[in-house]
Amino acid sequence: MSVSSQLQSINSELKTTKTKLIAVSKTKPNDLILEAYEVGQRAFGENKVQELVDKQAVLPKDIEWHMIGHLQRNKVKYIAPFVHLIHGVDTLKLLKEINKEGRKNERVISCLLQVHIADESTKFGFSSTEIKEILASNTLDELEYVSIVGLMGMATHTDNETQVRTEFASLSVLFNELKTSYTHLRLNLTEISMGMSGDYKIAVEEGSTMVRIGSTIFGARNYTK
Ligand SMILES: *Cc1c(COP(=O)(O)O)cnc(C)c1O
């Protein structure tokens, strides 16, 4: 199946929902990204800073670049001038660094707080308690160059659909709770980023507003390391 036909079929599935498709192009060459671009795809996700920077430099300027992977603080400066949305903010230190680089670039950077919803200890993210502590404190007051636009989560890698659904549902519940309980200038909660190739249908049913899909669109990735 070609990139364009895969995109077409996912987009028709998402048509009746409010969910936006982020095409995850990590490890994939620019010609495949352009193939998606030609049929109208504008939002792309990458998980490595160097690769993101290299691709942004040469690809069309109206592409929205989403940083979806774990982000190291010392690398924020490379993406701060152009990144559209940082999905995986998992520490307060990282949020502060993003604020610092936003200030340098005179742009407010949109972020999602990553929540640890999976069973696996390897996945990054805040607990719901940690997020509430941050929102209840005055930490956000000084972070003038970040806008927290929502939450991001990754479900456990398992065939157990019930478990995946429960984990996604927990992210939706937290999102709604935060939305009703906290107000702050830096808090503009509209997005729940959840769902990848293997589980996006469940995520959409549980309220996802952004699915991050890679291999279903571009084919399996070959990692050489
Ligand atoms: C790679 C990746 C995806 C996409 O994974 P696929 O299974 O290829 O759809 C989504 N989210 C994150 C954070 C990723 O690193």
Side-chain angles (χ1 to χ4, degrees):
M1 285 276 263
S2 68
V3 165
S4 61
S5 64
Q6 288 300 84
L7 276 173
Q8 200 171 34
S9 99
I10 296 170
N11 277 321
S12 68
E13 283 173 21
L14 297 180
K15 210 169 164 183
T16 55
T17 71
K18 286 178 289 180
T19 316
K20 173 170 167 164
L21 171 61
I22 315 300
V24 176
S25 48
K26 64 191 189 194
T27 78
K28 298 298 177 183
N30 292 344
D31 59 331
L32 281 189
I33 297 177
L34 283 171
E35 209 177 308
Y37 180 88
E38 295 304 335
V39 294
Q41 182 66 29
R42 290 294 179 272
F44 292 89
E46 291 283 338
N47 72 336
K48 295 269 191 302
V49 167
Q50 188 62 54
E51 191 176 344
L52 177 52
V53 168
D54 290 347
K55 286 175 172 172
Q56 191 272 339
V58 298
L59 287 165
K61 292 302 169 227
D62 62 341
I63 287 179
E64 264 179 29
W65 290 104
H66 293 246
M67 178 65 201
I68 61 166
H70 182 65
L71 176 59
Q72 288 172 302
R73 265 183 291 152
N74 61 0
K75 294 192 175 161
V76 174
K77 58 177 176 283
Y78 302 114
I79 62 170
F82 66 85
V83 71
H84 181 77
L85 178 61
I86 298 176
H87 288 237
V89 178
D90 57 355
T91 63
L92 199 49
K93 279 183 169 173
L94 176 59
L95 195 63
K96 287 177 178 171
E97 181 67 21
I98 294 167
N99 181 66
K100 190 177 117 192
E101 293 301 326
R103 175 179 289 122
K104 277 190 202 161
N105 288 277
E106 293 181 46
R107 63 189 296 257
V108 173
I109 300 176
S110 294
C111 297
L112 302 177
L113 299 180
Q114 185 167 354
V115 186
H116 188 282
I117 55 170
D119 225 1
E120 297 147 323
S121 55
T122 50
K123 300 252 160 85
F124 298 100
F126 293 104
S127 68
S128 53
T129 311
E130 287 169 328
I131 291 189
K132 287 174 195 169
E133 277 167 12
I134 293 171
L135 300 187
S137 72
N138 50 15
T139 310
L140 295 183
D141 293 356
E142 65 204 48
L143 303 180
E144 297 162 272
Y145 290 91
V146 301
S147 177
I148 297 170
V149 301
L151 303 177
M152 181 268 212
M154 289 168 83
T156 305
H157 191 72
T158 171
D159 289 338
N160 184 341
E161 280 195 18
T162 311
Q163 180 177 355
V164 171
R165 187 178 295 282
T166 304
E167 291 172 358
F168 285 149
S170 75
L171 193 61
S172 278
V173 166
L174 176 64
F175 176 85
N176 289 320
E177 190 184 343
L178 299 181
K179 226 174 134 68
T180 49
S181 310
Y182 300 89
T183 47
H184 197 288
L185 225 53
R186 251 57 97 195
L187 212 51
N188 305 290
L189 298 176
T190 54
E191 307 298 340
I192 309 178
S193 169
M194 59 184 189
M196 320 187 357
S197 289
D199 56 19
Y200 75 88
K201 292 178 195 193
I202 302 172
V204 169
E205 286 167 8
E206 296 304 326
S208 171
T209 69
M210 284 182 173
V211 286
R212 312 174 309 270
I213 301 179
S215 43
T216 298
I217 299 170
F218 297 110
R221 286 176 294 275
N222 291 312
Y223 287 103
T224 46
K225 51 178 184 178

